[in-house]
Amino acid sequence: MSDETPGIVVTGVAGRMGRMLVETVAASDACRLVGALVRPGHEWEGRDVGEATGGAAMGVPVTSDALEAFAKAQAVIDFTTPAATVEFAALAAQARATHVIGTTGFGDDDLACIAAAARHAVVVRAGNMSLGVNLLVGLTRKVAAALGEEFDIEIVEAHHRHKVDAPSGTALMLGEAAAEGRGVALSEAAERGRDGQTGPRGAGAIGFSAVRGGDIVGEHDVLFAGAGERVMLRHVATDRGIFARGAVRAALWGQDKRPGEYTMADVLGL
C-alpha cells in the first residue's frame, strides 16, 4: 500500500468497536493503520496490535502516547468516552488530523470543547455512522413535519447490556430530527423518564425509552402514534461492521475539507 494513502489512528483498540475499526482500516486499500491507542497502563501497551487482537502482526505497536501517534496521522477514529474524546479532540486539532467521533454521552461543556477544536481541524461527529440510520434520521424529520401534534412521538432504542449511556446517541439524533421537523427545541419537548403516577402524556412531547440486555448491537424505532393509526420507522443493526465502515468513509471524506464540525449527513451527501 502506498505511503500516500491517509494514515489512521484508532483509539480504544482494546474495546469491541476498537477491534472492529482496526480490522476495517487494515483491510482497506484506501488508508493505512498508523497508530493503535489504549489508556496508560493497559496490558496491551507495547504489543503489536494485530497480535493483541488475536490476528497476524501488523507492524503497528499499541501505545498510550496520543500526541506521538496523532503527529503521524491524517485521521483519528475515536469511539471511547466523553472525557477521552475531549482530550483527543484538542490533540487531533493540533496535528490537523481529521477527527471522526463515534463517542456518545457528551455534556454541553464537552461539546463546546469539541466545537473549539473544530475551528482548527475537521471533526466528523455522529451518534451513529451507518448509512441506514442516517437515512432514518432524514425520514424522521420529514414524517414529524408532515404529522401534527395529534401524533405522539416515541423513540425506543435497544442495546447490549454493557452500554453505559441512555438514551443512545442515535436515539438523540432521531429526537433532534423529530424536533426539527416540528420546529421545536428537543430540550423543551423531550420526555425521558416515566415511573409511578406521571399523569397523562404532554401534548407535543417526544418520548424516549431505553432497553438494555444481552448482546443487542442496536435497534431503533420511531413511533408516531395517532388516534386509530400508527406509523413506525425502524432500523436494526446486526453487525458492528456497519459503524466501522462508516467511520472509515468519514475519515477519508474529511481529507480535503475545511476545518469545521460535520455530521454523517454531510459525509453521505444527504
Side-chain angles (χ1 to χ4, degrees):
M1 186 181 300
S2 170
D3 287 346
E4 295 181 359
T5 57
I8 295 180
V9 171
V10 174
T11 67
V13 296
R16 285 185 298 275
M17 270 306 302
R19 297 182 193 209
M20 179 65 71
L21 286 161
V22 166
E23 180 181 321
T24 303
V25 172
S28 174
D29 293 330
C31 55
R32 297 171 292 128
L33 183 68
V34 297
L37 210 63
V38 291
R39 66 182 182 277
H42 193 279
E43 61 182 351
W44 285 11
E45 197 167 357
R47 296 179 60 190
D48 182 278
V49 67
E51 294 175 343
T53 54
M58 295 181 179
V60 177
V62 178
T63 181
S64 63
D65 190 336
L67 182 61
E68 180 182 4
F70 292 3
K72 56 188 176 184
Q74 284 71 57
V76 176
I77 302 180
D78 177 19
F79 286 68
T80 52
T81 65
T85 293
V86 167
E87 179 181 345
F88 294 151
L91 296 176
Q94 183 178 330
R96 300 300 189 265
T98 296
H99 189 188
V100 178
I101 300 174
T103 306
T104 59
F106 294 110
D108 291 342
D109 290 345
D110 299 328
L111 295 176
C113 291
I114 291 170
R119 291 199 291 267
H120 306 285
V122 173
V123 173
V124 180
R125 184 176 67 85
N128 194 297
M129 299 282 174
S130 86
L131 172 60
V133 161
N134 283 279
L135 288 172
L136 178 61
V137 168
L139 290 170
T140 297
R141 186 180 296 109
K142 289 180 180 295
V143 175
L147 300 177
E149 283 193 0
E150 62 270 23
F151 280 80
D152 296 320
I153 301 176
E154 190 77 11
I155 298 167
V156 184
E157 55 100 342
H159 284 86
H160 54 87
R161 67 190 309 273
H162 300 290
K163 187 168 179 61
V164 298
D165 59 310
S168 68
T170 302
L172 292 173
M173 285 172 61
L174 294 166
E176 289 285 1
E180 289 170 9
R182 286 196 167 169
V184 299
L186 181 61
S187 59
E188 298 177 2
E191 188 174 284
R192 295 197 184 188
R194 303 187 188 99
D195 184 38
Q197 297 296 321
T198 61
R201 183 187 180 106
I206 298 173
F208 292 87
S209 299
V211 176
R212 295 289 177 268
D215 61 356
I216 301 169
V217 173
E219 300 178 3
H220 293 86
D221 295 304
V222 185
L223 171 66
F224 296 85
E229 60 180 336
R230 295 189 297 274
V231 176
M232 181 175 285
L233 306 177
R234 165 166 255 227
H235 180 271
V236 176
T238 58
D239 175 12
R240 285 187 180 83
I242 63 174
F243 312 128
R245 291 189 291 272
V248 170
R249 180 169 176 172
L252 296 174
W253 176 88
Q255 293 307 301
D256 60 353
K257 302 301 182 293
R258 296 176 61 84
E261 192 167 0
Y262 301 89
T263 68
M264 281 302 290
D266 297 312
V267 175
L268 299 170
L270 298 176

